PDB file of all heavy atoms in Angstrom:
ATOM      1  N   TRP A  22     -46.767  -1.344 -95.780  1.00  0.00           N
ATOM      2  CA  TRP A  22     -47.009  -0.142 -95.111  1.00  0.00           C
ATOM      3  C   TRP A  22     -46.385  -0.255 -93.705  1.00  0.00           C
ATOM      4  O   TRP A  22     -46.542  -1.356 -93.091  1.00  0.00           O
ATOM      5  CB  TRP A  22     -48.505   0.140 -94.961  1.00  0.00           C
ATOM      6  CG  TRP A  22     -49.157   0.551 -96.219  1.00  0.00           C
ATOM      7  CD1 TRP A  22     -49.796  -0.181 -97.237  1.00  0.00           C
ATOM      8  CD2 TRP A  22     -49.149   1.828 -96.735  1.00  0.00           C
ATOM      9  NE1 TRP A  22     -50.274   0.561 -98.238  1.00  0.00           N
ATOM     10  CE2 TRP A  22     -49.985   1.878 -97.919  1.00  0.00           C
ATOM     11  CE3 TRP A  22     -48.643   3.184 -96.330  1.00  0.00           C
ATOM     12  CZ2 TRP A  22     -50.082   3.052 -98.711  1.00  0.00           C
ATOM     13  CZ3 TRP A  22     -48.975   4.189 -96.978  1.00  0.00           C
ATOM     14  CH2 TRP A  22     -49.617   4.241 -98.251  1.00  0.00           C
ATOM     15  N   PHE A  23     -45.911   0.922 -93.221  1.00  0.00           N
ATOM     16  CA  PHE A  23     -45.473   0.943 -91.788  1.00  0.00           C
ATOM     17  C   PHE A  23     -46.269   2.052 -91.162  1.00  0.00           C
ATOM     18  O   PHE A  23     -46.221   3.097 -91.592  1.00  0.00           O
ATOM     19  CB  PHE A  23     -43.937   1.247 -91.696  1.00  0.00           C
ATOM     20  CG  PHE A  23     -43.084   0.208 -91.994  1.00  0.00           C
ATOM     21  CD1 PHE A  23     -42.472   0.219 -93.295  1.00  0.00           C
ATOM     22  CD2 PHE A  23     -42.765  -0.883 -91.228  1.00  0.00           C
ATOM     23  CE1 PHE A  23     -41.615  -0.769 -93.773  1.00  0.00           C
ATOM     24  CE2 PHE A  23     -41.866  -1.939 -91.554  1.00  0.00           C
ATOM     25  CZ  PHE A  23     -41.280  -1.903 -92.878  1.00  0.00           C
ATOM     26  N   ASN A  24     -47.066   1.628 -90.151  1.00  0.00           N
ATOM     27  CA  ASN A  24     -47.692   2.692 -89.402  1.00  0.00           C
ATOM     28  C   ASN A  24     -46.680   3.160 -88.285  1.00  0.00           C
ATOM     29  O   ASN A  24     -46.307   2.372 -87.430  1.00  0.00           O
ATOM     30  CB  ASN A  24     -48.999   2.305 -88.639  1.00  0.00           C
ATOM     31  CG  ASN A  24     -49.689   3.356 -88.023  1.00  0.00           C
ATOM     32  OD1 ASN A  24     -49.289   4.006 -87.092  1.00  0.00           O
ATOM     33  ND2 ASN A  24     -50.905   3.752 -88.460  1.00  0.00           N
ATOM     34  N   THR A  25     -46.275   4.442 -88.524  1.00  0.00           N
ATOM     35  CA  THR A  25     -45.233   4.996 -87.579  1.00  0.00           C
ATOM     36  C   THR A  25     -45.674   5.333 -86.146  1.00  0.00           C
ATOM     37  O   THR A  25     -44.935   5.609 -85.413  1.00  0.00           O
ATOM     38  CB  THR A  25     -44.513   6.220 -88.300  1.00  0.00           C
ATOM     39  OG1 THR A  25     -45.642   7.275 -88.279  1.00  0.00           O
ATOM     40  CG2 THR A  25     -44.025   5.935 -89.614  1.00  0.00           C
ATOM     41  N   GLY A  26     -47.045   5.323 -85.990  1.00  0.00           N
ATOM     42  CA  GLY A  26     -47.598   5.601 -84.644  1.00  0.00           C
ATOM     43  C   GLY A  26     -48.900   6.609 -84.925  1.00  0.00           C
ATOM     44  O   GLY A  26     -48.848   7.199 -85.917  1.00  0.00           O
ATOM     45  N   THR A  27     -49.814   6.452 -83.971  1.00  0.00           N
ATOM     46  CA  THR A  27     -51.062   7.293 -84.205  1.00  0.00           C
ATOM     47  C   THR A  27     -50.964   8.654 -83.541  1.00  0.00           C
ATOM     48  O   THR A  27     -51.942   9.455 -83.867  1.00  0.00           O
ATOM     49  CB  THR A  27     -52.276   6.578 -83.472  1.00  0.00           C
ATOM     50  OG1 THR A  27     -51.724   5.942 -82.139  1.00  0.00           O
ATOM     51  CG2 THR A  27     -52.732   5.364 -84.293  1.00  0.00           C
ATOM     52  N   LEU A  28     -49.785   9.019 -82.946  1.00  0.00           N
ATOM     53  CA  LEU A  28     -49.724  10.497 -82.480  1.00  0.00           C
ATOM     54  C   LEU A  28     -49.683  11.339 -83.678  1.00  0.00           C
ATOM     55  O   LEU A  28     -49.151  11.041 -84.733  1.00  0.00           O
ATOM     56  CB  LEU A  28     -48.532  10.634 -81.655  1.00  0.00           C
ATOM     57  CG  LEU A  28     -48.482  10.091 -80.268  1.00  0.00           C
ATOM     58  CD1 LEU A  28     -47.151  10.175 -79.621  1.00  0.00           C
ATOM     59  CD2 LEU A  28     -49.605  10.860 -79.418  1.00  0.00           C
ATOM     60  N   CYS A  29     -50.421  12.410 -83.631  1.00  0.00           N
ATOM     61  CA  CYS A  29     -50.428  13.434 -84.644  1.00  0.00           C
ATOM     62  C   CYS A  29     -50.324  14.848 -84.121  1.00  0.00           C
ATOM     63  O   CYS A  29     -50.764  15.061 -83.032  1.00  0.00           O
ATOM     64  CB  CYS A  29     -51.618  13.301 -85.510  1.00  0.00           C
ATOM     65  SG  CYS A  29     -51.770  14.265 -86.962  1.00  0.00           S
ATOM     66  N   ASN A  30     -49.857  15.758 -84.812  1.00  0.00           N
ATOM     67  CA  ASN A  30     -49.842  17.183 -84.301  1.00  0.00           C
ATOM     68  C   ASN A  30     -51.245  17.904 -84.345  1.00  0.00           C
ATOM     69  O   ASN A  30     -51.372  18.937 -83.661  1.00  0.00           O
ATOM     70  CB  ASN A  30     -48.895  18.131 -85.078  1.00  0.00           C
ATOM     71  CG  ASN A  30     -49.135  18.070 -86.631  1.00  0.00           C
ATOM     72  OD1 ASN A  30     -49.181  17.031 -87.236  1.00  0.00           O
ATOM     73  ND2 ASN A  30     -49.454  19.157 -87.254  1.00  0.00           N
ATOM     74  N   ILE A  31     -52.231  17.218 -85.013  1.00  0.00           N
ATOM     75  CA  ILE A  31     -53.526  17.887 -84.964  1.00  0.00           C
ATOM     76  C   ILE A  31     -54.459  16.701 -84.853  1.00  0.00           C
ATOM     77  O   ILE A  31     -54.149  15.557 -84.839  1.00  0.00           O
ATOM     78  CB  ILE A  31     -53.864  18.569 -86.341  1.00  0.00           C
ATOM     79  CG1 ILE A  31     -53.746  17.633 -87.586  1.00  0.00           C
ATOM     80  CG2 ILE A  31     -52.930  19.884 -86.555  1.00  0.00           C
ATOM     81  CD1 ILE A  31     -54.043  18.246 -88.863  1.00  0.00           C
ATOM     82  N   GLU A  32     -55.810  17.198 -84.493  1.00  0.00           N
ATOM     83  CA  GLU A  32     -56.999  16.156 -84.387  1.00  0.00           C
ATOM     84  C   GLU A  32     -57.939  16.461 -85.320  1.00  0.00           C
ATOM     85  O   GLU A  32     -58.607  17.414 -85.283  1.00  0.00           O
ATOM     86  CB  GLU A  32     -57.483  16.089 -82.858  1.00  0.00           C
ATOM     87  CG  GLU A  32     -58.447  15.054 -82.664  1.00  0.00           C
ATOM     88  CD  GLU A  32     -58.837  14.978 -81.226  1.00  0.00           C
ATOM     89  OE1 GLU A  32     -58.301  15.817 -80.464  1.00  0.00           O
ATOM     90  OE2 GLU A  32     -59.583  14.162 -80.954  1.00  0.00           O
ATOM     91  N   CYS A  33     -58.044  15.688 -86.489  1.00  0.00           N
ATOM     92  CA  CYS A  33     -59.038  15.858 -87.499  1.00  0.00           C
ATOM     93  C   CYS A  33     -60.456  15.483 -87.091  1.00  0.00           C
ATOM     94  O   CYS A  33     -60.653  14.452 -86.282  1.00  0.00           O
ATOM     95  CB  CYS A  33     -58.630  15.143 -88.845  1.00  0.00           C
ATOM     96  SG  CYS A  33     -57.100  15.769 -89.487  1.00  0.00           S
ATOM     97  N   LEU A  34     -61.555  16.127 -87.705  1.00  0.00           N
ATOM     98  CA  LEU A  34     -62.744  15.818 -87.228  1.00  0.00           C
ATOM     99  C   LEU A  34     -63.179  14.427 -87.651  1.00  0.00           C
ATOM    100  O   LEU A  34     -63.952  13.789 -86.835  1.00  0.00           O
ATOM    101  CB  LEU A  34     -63.772  16.718 -87.940  1.00  0.00           C
ATOM    102  CG  LEU A  34     -65.266  16.751 -87.697  1.00  0.00           C
ATOM    103  CD1 LEU A  34     -65.416  17.173 -86.293  1.00  0.00           C
ATOM    104  CD2 LEU A  34     -66.038  17.651 -88.654  1.00  0.00           C
ATOM    105  N   ASN A  35     -62.849  13.867 -88.736  1.00  0.00           N
ATOM    106  CA  ASN A  35     -63.269  12.507 -89.090  1.00  0.00           C
ATOM    107  C   ASN A  35     -62.096  11.569 -89.373  1.00  0.00           C
ATOM    108  O   ASN A  35     -62.235  10.743 -90.340  1.00  0.00           O
ATOM    109  CB  ASN A  35     -64.099  12.604 -90.268  1.00  0.00           C
ATOM    110  CG  ASN A  35     -65.381  13.281 -90.074  1.00  0.00           C
ATOM    111  OD1 ASN A  35     -66.352  12.684 -89.331  1.00  0.00           O
ATOM    112  ND2 ASN A  35     -65.612  14.411 -90.640  1.00  0.00           N
ATOM    113  N   CYS A  36     -61.010  11.585 -88.549  1.00  0.00           N
ATOM    114  CA  CYS A  36     -59.875  10.828 -88.809  1.00  0.00           C
ATOM    115  C   CYS A  36     -60.249   9.286 -88.536  1.00  0.00           C
ATOM    116  O   CYS A  36     -60.596   8.912 -87.382  1.00  0.00           O
ATOM    117  CB  CYS A  36     -58.739  11.084 -87.860  1.00  0.00           C
ATOM    118  SG  CYS A  36     -57.210  10.109 -88.100  1.00  0.00           S
ATOM    119  N   TYR A  37     -60.032   8.396 -89.421  1.00  0.00           N
ATOM    120  CA  TYR A  37     -60.573   7.071 -89.349  1.00  0.00           C
ATOM    121  C   TYR A  37     -59.729   6.344 -88.293  1.00  0.00           C
ATOM    122  O   TYR A  37     -60.172   5.353 -87.649  1.00  0.00           O
ATOM    123  CB  TYR A  37     -60.499   6.293 -90.743  1.00  0.00           C
ATOM    124  CG  TYR A  37     -59.211   5.799 -91.109  1.00  0.00           C
ATOM    125  CD1 TYR A  37     -58.834   4.512 -90.740  1.00  0.00           C
ATOM    126  CD2 TYR A  37     -58.171   6.632 -91.656  1.00  0.00           C
ATOM    127  CE1 TYR A  37     -57.480   4.091 -91.037  1.00  0.00           C
ATOM    128  CE2 TYR A  37     -57.008   6.148 -91.968  1.00  0.00           C
ATOM    129  CZ  TYR A  37     -56.494   4.960 -91.700  1.00  0.00           C
ATOM    130  OH  TYR A  37     -55.285   4.474 -91.958  1.00  0.00           O
ATOM    131  N   ILE A  38     -58.534   6.654 -88.042  1.00  0.00           N
ATOM    132  CA  ILE A  38     -57.537   6.070 -87.095  1.00  0.00           C
ATOM    133  C   ILE A  38     -57.626   6.787 -85.791  1.00  0.00           C
ATOM    134  O   ILE A  38     -56.920   6.527 -84.821  1.00  0.00           O
ATOM    135  CB  ILE A  38     -56.262   5.887 -87.827  1.00  0.00           C
ATOM    136  CG1 ILE A  38     -55.434   4.756 -86.996  1.00  0.00           C
ATOM    137  CG2 ILE A  38     -55.496   7.280 -87.759  1.00  0.00           C
ATOM    138  CD1 ILE A  38     -54.115   4.500 -87.825  1.00  0.00           C
ATOM    139  N   GLU A  39     -58.323   7.907 -85.705  1.00  0.00           N
ATOM    140  CA  GLU A  39     -58.540   8.783 -84.517  1.00  0.00           C
ATOM    141  C   GLU A  39     -57.161   9.298 -83.916  1.00  0.00           C
ATOM    142  O   GLU A  39     -56.849   9.364 -82.818  1.00  0.00           O
ATOM    143  CB  GLU A  39     -59.194   7.878 -83.384  1.00  0.00           C
ATOM    144  CG  GLU A  39     -60.651   7.470 -83.636  1.00  0.00           C
ATOM    145  CD  GLU A  39     -61.261   6.641 -82.726  1.00  0.00           C
ATOM    146  OE1 GLU A  39     -60.555   6.016 -81.830  1.00  0.00           O
ATOM    147  OE2 GLU A  39     -62.414   6.355 -82.858  1.00  0.00           O
ATOM    148  N   SER A  40     -56.307   9.645 -84.876  1.00  0.00           N
ATOM    149  CA  SER A  40     -55.019  10.238 -84.604  1.00  0.00           C
ATOM    150  C   SER A  40     -55.208  11.498 -83.906  1.00  0.00           C
ATOM    151  O   SER A  40     -56.110  12.212 -84.186  1.00  0.00           O
ATOM    152  CB  SER A  40     -54.090  10.335 -85.831  1.00  0.00           C
ATOM    153  OG  SER A  40     -53.804   9.127 -86.343  1.00  0.00           O
ATOM    154  N   SER A  41     -54.301  11.852 -83.025  1.00  0.00           N
ATOM    155  CA  SER A  41     -54.440  13.197 -82.139  1.00  0.00           C
ATOM    156  C   SER A  41     -53.040  13.304 -81.460  1.00  0.00           C
ATOM    157  O   SER A  41     -52.171  12.380 -81.408  1.00  0.00           O
ATOM    158  CB  SER A  41     -55.548  13.070 -81.272  1.00  0.00           C
ATOM    159  OG  SER A  41     -55.186  12.263 -79.970  1.00  0.00           O
ATOM    160  N   PRO A  42     -52.855  14.471 -80.896  1.00  0.00           N
ATOM    161  CA  PRO A  42     -51.685  14.688 -79.982  1.00  0.00           C
ATOM    162  C   PRO A  42     -51.617  13.775 -78.718  1.00  0.00           C
ATOM    163  O   PRO A  42     -50.548  13.699 -78.140  1.00  0.00           O
ATOM    164  CB  PRO A  42     -51.822  16.121 -79.576  1.00  0.00           C
ATOM    165  CG  PRO A  42     -52.676  16.693 -80.616  1.00  0.00           C
ATOM    166  CD  PRO A  42     -53.661  15.748 -81.007  1.00  0.00           C
ATOM    167  N   THR A  43     -52.575  13.056 -78.391  1.00  0.00           N
ATOM    168  CA  THR A  43     -52.729  12.166 -77.240  1.00  0.00           C
ATOM    169  C   THR A  43     -52.884  10.729 -77.591  1.00  0.00           C
ATOM    170  O   THR A  43     -52.634   9.909 -76.585  1.00  0.00           O
ATOM    171  CB  THR A  43     -53.734  12.699 -76.279  1.00  0.00           C
ATOM    172  OG1 THR A  43     -54.986  12.742 -76.871  1.00  0.00           O
ATOM    173  CG2 THR A  43     -53.413  14.132 -75.787  1.00  0.00           C
ATOM    174  N   ASN A  44     -53.299  10.388 -78.638  1.00  0.00           N
ATOM    175  CA  ASN A  44     -53.619   8.888 -78.950  1.00  0.00           C
ATOM    176  C   ASN A  44     -52.314   8.195 -79.438  1.00  0.00           C
ATOM    177  O   ASN A  44     -51.842   8.349 -80.532  1.00  0.00           O
ATOM    178  CB  ASN A  44     -54.720   8.883 -80.149  1.00  0.00           C
ATOM    179  CG  ASN A  44     -55.031   7.403 -80.422  1.00  0.00           C
ATOM    180  OD1 ASN A  44     -54.674   6.366 -79.709  1.00  0.00           O
ATOM    181  ND2 ASN A  44     -55.739   7.170 -81.662  1.00  0.00           N
ATOM    182  N   ASP A  45     -51.768   7.403 -78.494  1.00  0.00           N
ATOM    183  CA  ASP A  45     -50.766   6.648 -78.824  1.00  0.00           C
ATOM    184  C   ASP A  45     -50.994   5.092 -78.802  1.00  0.00           C
ATOM    185  O   ASP A  45     -50.248   4.249 -78.361  1.00  0.00           O
ATOM    186  CB  ASP A  45     -49.426   6.879 -77.783  1.00  0.00           C
ATOM    187  CG  ASP A  45     -49.687   6.575 -76.415  1.00  0.00           C
ATOM    188  OD1 ASP A  45     -51.050   6.458 -76.050  1.00  0.00           O
ATOM    189  OD2 ASP A  45     -48.867   6.473 -75.642  1.00  0.00           O
ATOM    190  N   ALA A  46     -52.308   4.750 -79.137  1.00  0.00           N
ATOM    191  CA  ALA A  46     -52.756   3.385 -79.160  1.00  0.00           C
ATOM    192  C   ALA A  46     -51.868   2.463 -80.101  1.00  0.00           C
ATOM    193  O   ALA A  46     -51.538   1.364 -79.769  1.00  0.00           O
ATOM    194  CB  ALA A  46     -54.132   3.243 -79.744  1.00  0.00           C
ATOM    195  N   LEU A  47     -51.288   3.081 -81.160  1.00  0.00           N
ATOM    196  CA  LEU A  47     -50.171   2.582 -81.924  1.00  0.00           C
ATOM    197  C   LEU A  47     -48.922   3.369 -81.617  1.00  0.00           C
ATOM    198  O   LEU A  47     -48.974   4.625 -81.903  1.00  0.00           O
ATOM    199  CB  LEU A  47     -50.517   2.485 -83.391  1.00  0.00           C
ATOM    200  CG  LEU A  47     -51.825   1.798 -83.801  1.00  0.00           C
ATOM    201  CD1 LEU A  47     -51.919   1.934 -85.423  1.00  0.00           C
ATOM    202  CD2 LEU A  47     -51.739   0.401 -83.294  1.00  0.00           C
ATOM    203  N   VAL A  48     -47.952   2.700 -80.936  1.00  0.00           N
ATOM    204  CA  VAL A  48     -46.867   3.452 -80.453  1.00  0.00           C
ATOM    205  C   VAL A  48     -45.797   3.576 -81.676  1.00  0.00           C
ATOM    206  O   VAL A  48     -46.004   3.089 -82.743  1.00  0.00           O
ATOM    207  CB  VAL A  48     -46.178   2.859 -79.323  1.00  0.00           C
ATOM    208  CG1 VAL A  48     -47.203   2.737 -78.175  1.00  0.00           C
ATOM    209  CG2 VAL A  48     -45.622   1.339 -79.670  1.00  0.00           C
ATOM    210  N   TYR A  49     -44.827   4.530 -81.523  1.00  0.00           N
ATOM    211  CA  TYR A  49     -43.902   4.690 -82.459  1.00  0.00           C
ATOM    212  C   TYR A  49     -43.045   3.353 -82.820  1.00  0.00           C
ATOM    213  O   TYR A  49     -42.614   2.676 -82.018  1.00  0.00           O
ATOM    214  CB  TYR A  49     -42.745   5.680 -81.956  1.00  0.00           C
ATOM    215  CG  TYR A  49     -43.217   7.177 -81.932  1.00  0.00           C
ATOM    216  CD1 TYR A  49     -42.639   8.040 -80.998  1.00  0.00           C
ATOM    217  CD2 TYR A  49     -44.113   7.638 -82.761  1.00  0.00           C
ATOM    218  CE1 TYR A  49     -42.940   9.304 -80.914  1.00  0.00           C
ATOM    219  CE2 TYR A  49     -44.503   8.942 -82.732  1.00  0.00           C
ATOM    220  CZ  TYR A  49     -43.942   9.897 -81.675  1.00  0.00           C
ATOM    221  OH  TYR A  49     -44.237  11.145 -81.760  1.00  0.00           O
ATOM    222  N   LEU A  50     -43.054   3.163 -84.172  1.00  0.00           N
ATOM    223  CA  LEU A  50     -42.242   2.078 -84.724  1.00  0.00           C
ATOM    224  C   LEU A  50     -40.780   2.568 -84.758  1.00  0.00           C
ATOM    225  O   LEU A  50     -40.444   3.739 -85.079  1.00  0.00           O
ATOM    226  CB  LEU A  50     -42.674   1.641 -86.031  1.00  0.00           C
ATOM    227  CG  LEU A  50     -42.326   0.272 -86.706  1.00  0.00           C
ATOM    228  CD1 LEU A  50     -43.131  -0.675 -85.991  1.00  0.00           C
ATOM    229  CD2 LEU A  50     -42.708   0.344 -88.155  1.00  0.00           C
ATOM    230  N   THR A  51     -39.972   1.631 -84.344  1.00  0.00           N
ATOM    231  CA  THR A  51     -38.427   2.066 -84.463  1.00  0.00           C
ATOM    232  C   THR A  51     -37.733   1.630 -85.669  1.00  0.00           C
ATOM    233  O   THR A  51     -38.282   0.767 -86.499  1.00  0.00           O
ATOM    234  CB  THR A  51     -37.699   1.457 -83.223  1.00  0.00           C
ATOM    235  OG1 THR A  51     -37.618   0.122 -83.383  1.00  0.00           O
ATOM    236  CG2 THR A  51     -38.307   1.730 -81.846  1.00  0.00           C
ATOM    237  N   ARG A  52     -36.592   2.248 -85.852  1.00  0.00           N
ATOM    238  CA  ARG A  52     -35.774   1.964 -87.018  1.00  0.00           C
ATOM    239  C   ARG A  52     -35.393   0.377 -87.026  1.00  0.00           C
ATOM    240  O   ARG A  52     -35.527  -0.199 -88.150  1.00  0.00           O
ATOM    241  CB  ARG A  52     -34.598   2.805 -87.058  1.00  0.00           C
ATOM    242  CG  ARG A  52     -33.665   2.563 -88.369  1.00  0.00           C
ATOM    243  CD  ARG A  52     -32.415   3.463 -88.123  1.00  0.00           C
ATOM    244  NE  ARG A  52     -31.676   3.317 -89.408  1.00  0.00           N
ATOM    245  CZ  ARG A  52     -30.537   3.983 -89.591  1.00  0.00           C
ATOM    246  NH1 ARG A  52     -30.005   4.943 -88.738  1.00  0.00           N
ATOM    247  NH2 ARG A  52     -29.814   3.913 -90.799  1.00  0.00           N
ATOM    248  N   ALA A  53     -35.034  -0.056 -85.844  1.00  0.00           N
ATOM    249  CA  ALA A  53     -34.711  -1.556 -85.874  1.00  0.00           C
ATOM    250  C   ALA A  53     -35.766  -2.378 -86.170  1.00  0.00           C
ATOM    251  O   ALA A  53     -35.664  -3.411 -86.780  1.00  0.00           O
ATOM    252  CB  ALA A  53     -34.111  -1.808 -84.552  1.00  0.00           C
ATOM    253  N   GLU A  54     -37.005  -2.023 -85.649  1.00  0.00           N
ATOM    254  CA  GLU A  54     -38.191  -2.907 -85.882  1.00  0.00           C
ATOM    255  C   GLU A  54     -38.720  -2.908 -87.295  1.00  0.00           C
ATOM    256  O   GLU A  54     -38.933  -3.855 -87.994  1.00  0.00           O
ATOM    257  CB  GLU A  54     -39.387  -2.438 -84.977  1.00  0.00           C
ATOM    258  CG  GLU A  54     -39.170  -2.696 -83.558  1.00  0.00           C
ATOM    259  CD  GLU A  54     -40.188  -1.981 -82.639  1.00  0.00           C
ATOM    260  OE1 GLU A  54     -40.531  -0.809 -83.041  1.00  0.00           O
ATOM    261  OE2 GLU A  54     -40.326  -2.424 -81.515  1.00  0.00           O
TER     262      GLU A  54
END
């Protein structure tokens, strides 16, 4: 699995990873990485 980053266009009520339009705790993975 590759987590591409925690940013999301929406914020779900019960997201286990707490993704949202502002949560970048996991940053974008790049193609080279």
Side-chain angles (χ1 to χ4, degrees):
W22 288 96
F23 290 99
N24 187 293
T25 61
T27 40
L28 287 173
C29 187
N30 56 301
I31 58 175
E32 185 170 1
C33 297
L34 186 63
N35 291 295
C36 179
Y37 80 95
I38 202 170
E39 300 177 347
S40 296
S41 76
T43 59
N44 178 14
D45 64 346
L47 301 182
V48 298
Y49 286 153
L50 201 67
T51 69
R52 181 182 186 180
E54 288 167 338

